[in-house]
Amino acid sequence: MTKHLRILLLVLTIATVLSVLVSCSDMDGIMDGINENILNVKDKILAILKPDSECDHEWYAATCTAPKTCSLCGETEGEKLDHTVVFDAAEAPDCTTDGKTEGSHCSVCGEIIVAQDTIAALGHSNTVNITKEPTCDEKGEKVVTCSVCGESSTEEIPANGHDYDDTVKLPTCTEGGSTTHKCKHCGYSCIDSFVDPLGHDLDEGTETKAPTCTEKGTLKLSCTREGCEHTEEAEIPAKGHSYSHSVTEPTCTADGYTTHTCSVCGDTYKDSTVAAKGHTKVDATCEADGYCSVCNEKLEDALGHDEKIDASVEPTCTETGLTEGKHCERCGATLIAQEIVDAKGHRLSGLKVNSATCTEDGSIELDCGDCGLHFVSGKDKEADDYLASPVGQFINIKAQGHKYESVVTPATCYARGYTTHTCSACGDTYVDTYTDQLIHDLSGEWLVTTAPTCESTGTEVLSC
């Protein structure tokens, strides 16, 4: 290997080591990173500069992390060395500090071979010495000492608090109740749970004076609680009148009112006067008197009819007429009813018959001698009714149909045969019953038309 190549390898190796030192925070990581990056750099340079030549090996000695290795090409030889084992001594735990089990590691590469496990701290083994006893309302003190490490501390003992006996005083009608608490140990006492006086529990009372409709009564009330002799007098309100009510309705001419009468003492009075209603008049008609619809009193005489003549109406050919009648102009009553006079009907004349053809019906035409209307059968009911009458039924205007005469034309060798039908009345014609065209019948004898000669041929004809 040339001198320049060795210098290049040295520069790249130093740069790689510096980059690893910057990126790693622990020594083991630094060592591993340096070795790995040096080998990578060498491999790349050798692959570029000497892909096909033999390497002049420069060996790194084997370690416990790598076998013997060429610093130029990265080739290895042999096996890694065994770790140099160093034992890590066990550490016993105490009251406050954790201990460790025995372990081991390699003194060369630092690899942990047997990891040390943590042994939890033992905790204190304490004895307690009370230096001041607590009372009901004062704290005590105690000294706590570890029998192993000798560590000592002074701690408070909470006050015991009072242990009370309770005495309950029940409330009465006029005095309140309460509960007295007295400590069994120190004699301290206090009062609480106050209860208001109950107040008197009065009975329903005994009537000493009965009330009337207008005067008050009295009632003696007594407390029902045991040992209480309290009494008091109460007032009973006057009962007031117990009125029944009777309503007298107003009439057309007299006022109405309400009468109130007490069912106990008979007191009575009237009120709620309602004025007389006055008559509710029903007006007189042509035939009935006017009167009050409430009391039926007659108020005026009947008016009598206001007669009016209803003129007669002459009937026409199609519309009915009316006879003379009479009605009341005031009430509309019919005094003489008008009777219906039947319509006269048309007076038909001037009969004209339009003859039928082979295919179309004929018709008749009539005129009314009174109203002048013109009627045609098939359009107007009047003309149709005339045809149905005993006189008109003999008029025949129905289509007669064609009267065909038939001529047969026989088939020939050149055309089909057929039948021609012709109406003798109107000349209408049509053809039907076709027969097939005939075939030439050539079964006869040939007829010589030109005799042959020595120099030319003759001709002959076969006829149908």
Side-chain angles (χ1 to χ4, degrees):
M1 181 177 291
T2 64
K3 179 178 180 182
H4 293 93
L5 181 59
R6 289 192 179 97
I7 294 171
L8 178 61
L9 283 173
L10 179 60
V11 171
L12 290 174
T13 302
I14 293 170
T16 302
V17 170
L18 290 174
S19 68
V20 171
L21 288 173
V22 170
S23 61
C24 295
S25 60
D26 60 278
M27 184 57 67
D28 292 340
I30 290 173
M31 295 303 298
D32 292 341
I34 290 172
N35 290 334
E36 181 179 352
N37 280 282
I38 289 173
L39 293 175
N40 288 339
V41 170
K42 287 180 183 178
D43 290 343
K44 291 178 181 178
I45 293 175
L46 290 174
I48 295 171
L49 299 180
K50 296 183 68 180
D52 298 323
S53 62
E54 293 293 329
C55 177
D56 298 329
H57 295 303
E58 294 186 6
W59 296 100
Y60 284 126
T63 67
C64 54
T65 59
K68 180 180 177 182
T69 304
C70 176
S71 64
L72 301 178
C73 67
E75 182 179 334
T76 62
E77 187 177 284
E79 302 293 333
K80 294 187 294 184
L81 300 179
D82 292 334
H83 289 296
T84 302
V85 179
V86 176
F87 290 97
D88 301 311
E91 297 178 8
D94 58 23
C95 295
T96 58
T97 306
D98 294 338
K100 294 181 181 179
T101 61
E102 184 181 68
S104 62
H105 69 276
C106 177
S107 63
V108 177
C109 66
E111 181 179 335
I112 295 174
I113 299 170
V114 177
Q116 289 182 289
D117 295 327
T118 299
I119 303 172
L122 301 175
H124 293 297
S125 180
N126 290 327
T127 59
V128 179
N129 180 30
I130 297 174
T131 56
K132 179 182 178 182
E133 292 290 345
T135 65
C136 293
D137 51 9
E138 290 186 359
K139 299 175 182 178
E141 287 184 353
K142 61 182 178 181
V143 177
V144 181
T145 305
C146 178
S147 61
V148 177
C149 67
E151 182 178 322
S152 179
S153 63
T154 300
E155 299 178 5
E156 285 186 349
I157 303 173
N160 293 328
H162 297 292
D163 184 10
Y164 289 113
D165 280 331
D166 299 332
T167 302
V168 178
K169 175 186 176 184
L170 298 176
T172 65
C173 294
T174 56
E175 295 184 359
S178 61
T179 300
T180 301
H181 309 276
K182 185 174 182 179
C183 183
K184 300 175 184 178
H185 304 294
C186 68
Y188 172 80
S189 67
C190 62
I191 301 174
D192 62 8
S193 302
F194 294 99
V195 180
D196 293 335
L198 300 175
H200 295 294
D201 183 13
L202 300 175
D203 60 13
E204 294 182 357
T206 303
E207 188 177 81
T208 56
K209 178 184 177 184
T212 66
C213 292
T214 56
E215 293 183 357
K216 300 174 182 178
T218 55
L219 192 69
K220 181 181 178 181
L221 305 173
S222 301
C223 182
T224 60
R225 299 190 194 282
E226 185 177 352
C228 182
E229 298 180 352
H230 173 79
T231 63
E232 58 185 67
E233 190 175 83
E235 190 179 77
I236 304 174
K239 293 181 177 181
H241 294 294
S242 180
Y243 287 112
S244 60
H245 313 291
S246 176
V247 177
T248 300
E249 296 290 342
T251 66
C252 296
T253 56
D255 294 341
Y257 53 86
T258 300
T259 302
H260 308 273
T261 303
C262 180
S263 60
V264 178
C265 67
D267 181 69
T268 183
Y269 69 96
K270 295 178 182 179
D271 64 3
S272 303
T273 300
V274 179
K277 295 179 178 180
H279 291 298
T280 302
K281 181 183 178 182
V282 176
D283 291 333
T285 65
C286 296
E287 298 179 345
D289 297 332
Y291 64 97
C292 175
S293 62
V294 177
C295 66
N296 290 319
E297 181 179 339
K298 178 180 176 180
L299 301 178
E300 61 181 350
D301 294 331
L303 302 175
H305 289 299
D306 182 8
E307 296 182 358
K308 183 173 180 62
I309 300 297
D310 299 314
S312 61
V313 177
E314 287 294 325
T316 67
C317 296
T318 57
E319 295 181 359
T320 59
L322 293 173
T323 61
E324 185 181 277
K326 186 185 293 184
H327 71 276
C328 177
E329 186 74 10
R330 182 182 297 110
C331 68
T334 299
L335 304 179
I336 299 176
Q338 289 183 289
E339 296 180 359
I340 295 174
V341 180
D342 293 335
K344 295 177 181 181
H346 293 295
R347 184 167 58 84
L348 300 175
S349 62
L351 174 62
K352 177 185 178 183
V353 178
N354 299 311
S355 299
T357 67
C358 294
T359 57
E360 295 182 357
D361 291 341
S363 64
I364 64 170
E365 297 182 33
L366 294 164
D367 295 315
C368 177
D370 293 325
C371 67
L373 289 177
H374 182 72
F375 305 106
V376 179
S377 62
K379 297 181 180 179
D380 300 310
K381 181 178 181 300
E382 289 78 4
D384 292 337
D385 290 343
Y386 183 85
L387 283 173
S389 69
V391 176
Q393 64 182 340
F394 295 104
I395 302 173
N396 185 9
I397 58 173
K398 293 295 182 182
Q400 301 300 308
H402 292 294
K403 293 181 175 63
Y404 287 110
E405 295 177 356
S406 302
V407 177
V408 176
T409 301
T412 67
C413 296
Y414 299 100
R416 292 186 301 168
Y418 55 87
T419 301
T420 302
H421 307 273
T422 304
C423 179
S424 61
C426 68
D428 181 70
T429 183
Y430 69 94
V431 177
D432 66 2
T433 317
Y434 289 93
T435 58
D436 294 335
Q437 180 179 331
L438 299 179
I439 300 173
H440 290 296
D441 183 4
L442 302 177
S443 60
E445 295 293 333
W446 287 93
L447 177 63
V448 176
T449 57
T450 304
T453 66
C454 295
E455 298 176 352
S456 64
T457 59
T459 60
E460 61 182 353
V461 176
L462 181 62
S463 299
C464 176

